[in-house]
């Protein structure tokens, strides 16, 4: 009882000295792919141009609802000929669409970063810069990396660092002088140290790792996560497996990891690969009268998204928020096979997360009136200048 009273007294003292409290919502999405079928679907034969707007129309409100939305760009903007697997290059219009629908930053270090060689790396950077999309993970050269890494972002009075690394470039050598961040703990330790010099409120690391199509993380993913947490990273976001892997909110340590968010959008249609999850974090920052502050994760949750490819001749793609289409009276998903795949993905994903997630439940933003389930709402000393993100 004495210890409880002491804790309450200390907490009251902290709250009494607090000058202000601010909040920041973060949304992370999985792999943004560009397979041949997606490229074909986006082509408007009448206007003779590529248009991805309809693909993202249903998920756009989710991306815009968060203060900061970050995704894994697993393709290049290398120009024509446009191609999907195994050496991706998507039309530039996709970059414009990603900016328009609410993405605030993209990471570019993955096993497809070097698919189109030096031109692919440098042109991707140029295209993202042209639409004013902050990005990190690949660099034109050493000077670019020294001047712009880690990527520092600012929003709502929060300053945070974004790191990004990949385990592989599919055996393709990185052309000189380009740089693709690889998983190297010696280098990552240096990068974390540089990030800390800017005094961020928290540090995020996007990491491309794991084994494709496995629903549980390997021991090396877990070890790297623990190493990152020990060395000062607060949030670890995983990509590459193209299927979902569990999430953990380690409340005691104020840390969060999702081992894989699966596919945000892709042409993959096999079970487990035809969708993904959006990880949602609410950060809280308490500012004290002495100008010091404390930042912590206030809530963590996920939302499922499924990729619908129509069965008609158009083969159109749509990213569907699961909660909005589970009881869709309009029957937007036309064919029985697709409705079955949607149901299977939803069931598989919830089974995985219900069994293996730690303190991370499902968050429902737009509850269908016909859905009777209860809504779950979980509870400057650096050379690198921060990018101040605009209001959405």
């Amino acid at each position: 009882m004495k210890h409880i009273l002491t804790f309450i007294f200390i907490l009251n003292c902290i709250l009494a000295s607090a000058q202000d409290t601010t909040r920041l919502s973060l949304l992370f999405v999985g792999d943004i792919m560009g397979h041949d079928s997606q490229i074909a679907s986006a082509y408007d034969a009448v206007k003779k141009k590529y248009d991805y707007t309809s693909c993202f129309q249903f998920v756009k409100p989710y991306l815009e609802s968060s203060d900061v939305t970050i995704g894994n760009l697993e393709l290049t903007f290398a120009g024509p000929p446009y191609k999907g697997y195994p050496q991706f290059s998507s039309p530039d219009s996709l970059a414009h669409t990603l900016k328009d629908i609410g993405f605030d930053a993209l990471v570019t270090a993955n096993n497809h970063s070097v698919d189109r060689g030096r031109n692919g790396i440098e042109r991707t950077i140029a295209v993202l810069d042209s639409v004013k999309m902050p990005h990190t993970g690949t660099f034109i050269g050493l000077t670019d990396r020294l001047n712009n890494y880690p990527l520092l972002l600012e929003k709502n009075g929060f300053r945070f660092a974004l790191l990004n690394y990949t385990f592989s470039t599919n055996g393709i050598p990185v052309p000189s002088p380009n740089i693709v961040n690889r998983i190297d703990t010696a280098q990552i330790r240096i990068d974390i140290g540089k990030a800390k010099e800017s005094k961020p409120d928290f540090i995020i690391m996007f990491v491309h790792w794991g084994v494709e199509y496995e629903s549980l993380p390997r021991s090396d993913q877990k070890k790297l996560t623990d190493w990152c947490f020990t060395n000062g990273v607060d949030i670890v976001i995983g990509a590459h497996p193209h299927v979902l892997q569990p999430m953990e909110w380690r409340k005691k340590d104020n840390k969060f990891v999702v081992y894989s968010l699966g596919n945000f959008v892709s042409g993959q249609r096999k079970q487990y690969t035809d969708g993904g999850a959006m990880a949602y974090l609410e950060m809280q920052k308490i500012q004290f009268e002495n100008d010091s502050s404390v930042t912590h994760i206030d809530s963590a949750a996920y939302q499922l998204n499924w990729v619908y490819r129509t069965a008609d001749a158009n083969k159109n793609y749509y990213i569907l928020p699961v909660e909005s289409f589970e009881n869709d009276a309009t029957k937007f998903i036309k064919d029985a096979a697709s409705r079955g795949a949607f149901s299977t993905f939803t069931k598989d994903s919830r089974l995985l997360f219900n069994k293996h997630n730690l303190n991370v439940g499902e968050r429902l933003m737009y509850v269908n009136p016909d859905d009777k389930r209860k809504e779950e709402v979980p509870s400057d000393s650096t050379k690198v200048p921060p990018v101040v993100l605009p209001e959405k």
Side-chain angles (χ1 to χ4, degrees), residues 46-334:
V46 176
K47 297 180 180 179
K48 299 188 183 305
K49 66 177 184 178
Y50 293 88
D51 186 352
Y52 287 86
T53 306
S54 62
C55 176
F56 298 93
Q57 62 181 301
F58 298 110
V59 78
K60 181 180 180 181
Y62 291 78
L63 307 183
E64 291 181 328
S65 71
S66 65
D67 295 317
V68 179
T69 299
I70 305 174
N72 170 49
L73 185 70
E74 197 161 352
L75 51 83
T76 71
F77 293 116
Y82 303 125
K83 192 75 178 66
Y85 183 85
Q87 293 181 303
F88 293 88
S89 179
S90 288
D92 297 354
S93 59
L94 176 59
H96 291 269
T97 301
L98 295 176
K99 180 70 175 181
D100 291 343
I101 63 175
F103 277 96
D104 297 286
L106 296 170
V107 294
T108 56
N110 55 70
N111 59 311
H112 290 287
S113 298
V114 198
D115 279 1
R116 294 298 184 94
R118 180 173 177 176
N119 176 67
I121 293 173
E122 296 185 1
R123 195 175 184 284
T124 299
I125 291 171
V127 169
L128 294 176
D129 287 344
S130 73
V131 299
K132 295 181 169 51
M133 175 72 76
H135 58 88
T136 195
T138 58
F139 307 91
I140 292 174
L142 182 58
T143 300
D144 181 17
R145 191 181 193 278
L146 289 173
N147 289 337
N148 298 297
Y149 194 74
L151 177 62
L152 298 176
L153 301 169
E154 286 189 358
K155 189 71 177 284
N156 292 4
F158 288 77
R159 170 181 288 197
F160 56 98
L162 179 60
L163 306 173
N164 177 217
Y165 306 90
T166 180
F167 78 104
S168 167
T169 57
N170 286 344
I172 305 174
V174 179
S176 179
N178 300 157
I179 296 173
V180 177
N181 281 351
R182 298 293 295 270
I183 297 175
D184 175 346
T185 53
Q187 182 61 55
I188 295 173
R189 192 192 302 272
I190 294 172
D191 296 339
I192 293 173
K194 186 177 180 182
K196 289 178 178 178
E197 291 177 3
S198 66
K199 302 188 186 315
D201 295 299
F202 54 92
I203 298 174
I204 303 169
M205 189 172 100
F206 245 96
V207 56
H208 214 74
W209 61 5
V211 178
E212 289 182 332
Y213 316 122
E214 289 193 359
S215 296
L216 294 176
R218 292 281 183 105
S219 60
D220 58 335
Q221 292 171 263
K222 296 179 180 181
K223 288 178 182 178
L224 181 58
T225 297
D226 292 340
W227 183 91
C228 289
F229 288 163
T230 299
N231 283 275
V233 175
D234 302 290
I235 299 166
V236 174
I237 307 296
H240 176 64
H242 300 301
V243 297
L244 291 173
Q245 292 184 351
M247 308 176 183
E248 299 174 1
W249 176 18
R250 304 182 187 181
K251 292 185 178 182
K252 181 180 178 181
D253 301 319
N254 192 36
K255 306 289 186 180
F256 177 84
V257 57
V258 49
Y259 290 103
S260 173
L261 285 171
N263 287 325
F264 182 61
V265 62
S266 83
Q268 294 184 315
R269 307 309 302 157
K270 292 182 179 180
Q271 186 177 359
Y272 308 113
T273 69
D274 52 348
M278 299 175 281
Y280 179 89
L281 296 182
E282 188 83 21
M283 311 298 293
Q284 185 178 63
K285 181 178 179 179
I286 302 174
Q287 192 80 37
F288 301 105
E289 293 178 351
N290 62 359
D291 289 332
S292 65
S293 63
V294 174
T295 299
H296 68 277
I297 300 170
D298 192 53
S299 67
Y302 72 86
Q303 293 163 303
L304 298 175
N305 59 271
W306 183 72
V307 180
Y308 174 38
R309 183 186 181 189
T310 62
D312 57 21
N314 294 325
K315 305 292 184 186
N316 291 325
Y317 278 88
Y318 300 94
I319 306 173
L320 305 184
V322 164
E323 62 168 318
S324 297
F325 287 85
E326 277 190 285
N327 298 286
D328 179 26
T330 68
K331 295 288 190 289
F332 182 79
I333 305 176
K334 302 297 184 185

Side-chain angles (χ1 to χ4, degrees), residues 23-59:
R23 304 182 74 85
L24 180 76
S25 58
L26 303 172
L27 190 69
F28 303 99
V29 310
D31 304 330
I32 301 168
M33 307 292 292
H35 288 95
D36 290 330
S37 56
Q38 295 171 259
I39 296 171
S41 172
Y43 185 67
D44 186 326
V46 176
K47 297 180 180 179
K48 299 188 183 305
K49 66 177 184 178
Y50 293 88
D51 186 352
Y52 287 86
T53 306
S54 62
C55 176
F56 298 93
Q57 62 181 301
F58 298 110
V59 78

Side-chain angles (χ1 to χ4, degrees), residues 358-377:
L358 176 65
N359 300 317
V360 187
E362 190 169 3
R363 178 177 185 261
L364 304 179
M365 286 178 58
Y366 306 104
V367 181
N368 189 302
D370 296 327
D371 191 343
K372 304 304 181 183
R373 291 176 299 141
K374 293 182 179 180
E375 180 177 5
E376 298 180 52
V377 183

